[in-house]
Amino acid sequence: MKYSELVMVFEQLESTSKRLTKTHYIADLLKKIPTENLPMIIYMLQGRLFPPTDERTLGVADKTAKKAIEIATGLPEKKVISEWKKLGDLGKVAEVLVKEKKQRTLFSHTLTVKKVFDNLRKLVEITGAGSVDRKLKLIAELLTSAKPKEAKFIIKTALEQLRFGVGEGVVRDAIVWAYFSKEIELKYDEKKHDISYNENYKKYVKAVESTYDLMNDYAGVAKKAKEKGLKGLQKTGITLGQPIRAMLALKEDTVKDCFKRVGSPAAIEYKYDGFRMIINKDGSDIKIFTRRLDNVTKQFPEVVKAIRAHVSARQCILDAEAVGFDPKTKEYKPFQNISQRIKRKYDIAMLSKKLPVELHIFDILFYKGENLLEAPFKKRRQILEKIVSSKKWSIQLAKQIVTSNEKKASEFYSKALELGHEGVMFKNLASPYQPGSRVGHMIKFKPVMEPLDLVIVAAEWGTGKRSGWLTSYVLACLDPKSGKFLTVGKASTGLKEKEEQGLSFKAMTKILRSLVRAEHGRKVDVHPQIVIEIAFNEIQKSPTYKSGYALRFPRITKIRDDRGPNECATLADVKRMYEQQKK
Ligand code: ATP
């Protein structure tokens, strides 16, 4: 397939903010393309080159992209910089300058989707000495053959700035429209922006979505839908050893409402303040995945050991919360203290002794070759009780009571807070396990005015005794419609000046330094990748920030290593909290 055909769709997607229209364009494309091109195209439409479980990044700096434009167009650096200043976007610069060049030379070569994809993917593997030059070559090679519009999208993809506002929901619906349009009797009126389908629609959407929750890759789901149809999707099972999306919780503010949601009697458990682990056990082979589906098995040897020693099932998948504690004082530590272990590559054995975690198991998804997703929670808990032998400070079943009594529930909640836990979870005893869904099967109940998870998009160098550190951080929420991060404020409190006191300016500077994409005097723009939890006192309307809102007295409470930028608070979350607070 020619890259220019894909670029046409990119342009269509950029030309509209309407979700249905975007879905229509993508569905049309999916219908046409051969199966072998599906993965490449589905990833690129979502602004990436890899499935979401693959954390690799291309690591192309603005400087490298700028240089590639110079090489491909033969224009001097001064000219490229002056266009960049004027247009503010290197993708547009590439488009304009390649256009100028074409008028001069007429040389052209046809680029295929595969060629573009392959060259850009190679960028990931290039590291070490001479890597900048080799990266440059790969990008410049593409630009030399590119037409102006193609050049724009090549640069945007290389810089990982390709965003069409195509969220997971759009891809899911497009797969249904593309491969099941007959079954759902789809009619789409582009002019009226109107769509109709029959009563089968929900069934197909659910099949595609549930398959995604098990496979975590829309490229694989699309292939299955195309080749195996509805039955094939519905037959997708759990594959032991593969990451699965965790089921998420809703929230209520009173005990009464919690019971209303999950029914009575309900199971109530402590809500532990650690981080989520989904653990696969297949004989002696143990794999630990985080909520972001990262494999962190190597980082937590004590968990592997505990599972081997205290879980009697040969095969199972467990859902649990790992909580750090001080081995000397036996006090639980807040999440931020153990978060450093998630990405750690060295000193692992030492850290597992210094900052060990205790595992609190609260669910089971697979046992002895049997998929338990549809089994009622009560039965799943019974299995857990049979196979887990608890050992304090190593592995435990989540503390649980089953009651329909509001007073008992409130007492259990007070006890949870007293012991330093975050609150409690109410669970429906008859509910299935729905991977990836925030459904009402479990409800969290904890103190109100929650902090927000926001992304750092820029930072500023400090002065005086804080010079040499990035000390002020511009925070943003996500607008899922446009895929853009919109600023909501600036935080400079919460971090420590001394490393031994907790998350420090120095540590944050180290993290952000590798993400810098542009510098303006004392300010730097960074790739939006780091999610931090922000406590604050109030949200106000504000013209200063792009979201239209500003946080009052924002304080950084922790880094959310377990969250990706697309999982941060949305503009709608900020708005909802603003409205709530007005009430
Ligand atoms: P929060 O920041 O409040 O933890 P969240 O958005 O990270 O919320 P939710 O799904 O809303 O996640 O809340 C449930 C989380 O609580 C789970 O992801 C899990 O990590 C944690 N948790 C702690 N104890 C339990 C428990 N007993 N049962 C289920 N989840 C628990």
Side-chain angles (χ1 to χ4, degrees), residues 456 458-474 490-497 504-506 508-509 512 522 524 556:
I456 302 181
E460 203 172 316
W461 290 104
T463 52
K465 65 178 179 169
R466 291 186 177 181
S467 59
W469 296 328
L470 289 164
T471 52
S472 169
Y473 312 99
V474 180
K490 219 192 243 182
S492 47
T493 48
L495 297 196
K496 309 285 188 269
E497 290 185 350
S504 63
F505 289 115
K506 191 172 169 195
M508 184 65 96
T509 305
L512 292 180
R522 288 196 17 245
V524 296
I556 300 168

Side-chain angles (χ1 to χ4, degrees), residues 554-566:
R555 310 178 282 285
I556 300 168
T557 49
K558 58 185 164 197
I559 293 202
R560 300 272 334 219
D561 285 339
D562 58 333
R563 294 212 151 185
N566 289 333

Side-chain angles (χ1 to χ4, degrees), residues 14 47 160-166 478 482-485 528 566:
E14 277 193 336
E160 290 167 296
Q161 290 170 358
L162 200 62
R163 285 189 205 283
F164 302 113
V166 173
L478 179 68
S482 64
K484 288 201 172 116
F485 290 98
N566 289 333

Side-chain angles (χ1 to χ4, degrees), residues 246-250 269-276 291 320-321 362 398 422 425 427 438 442 444 446 450 453 533 560 562-563:
M247 178 164 75
L248 303 175
L250 288 174
E269 296 173 0
Y270 289 161
K271 184 176 194 304
Y272 300 95
D273 183 16
F275 76 98
R276 192 99 176 240
R291 195 169 129 174
E321 187 86 352
F362 54 76
E422 260 195 297
M425 305 292 294
K427 299 187 177 179
R438 203 175 275 282
M442 51 180 199
K444 55 184 165 182
K446 58 184 200 178
E450 286 196 48
D453 290 334
E533 186 184 273
R560 300 272 334 219
D562 58 333
R563 294 212 151 185

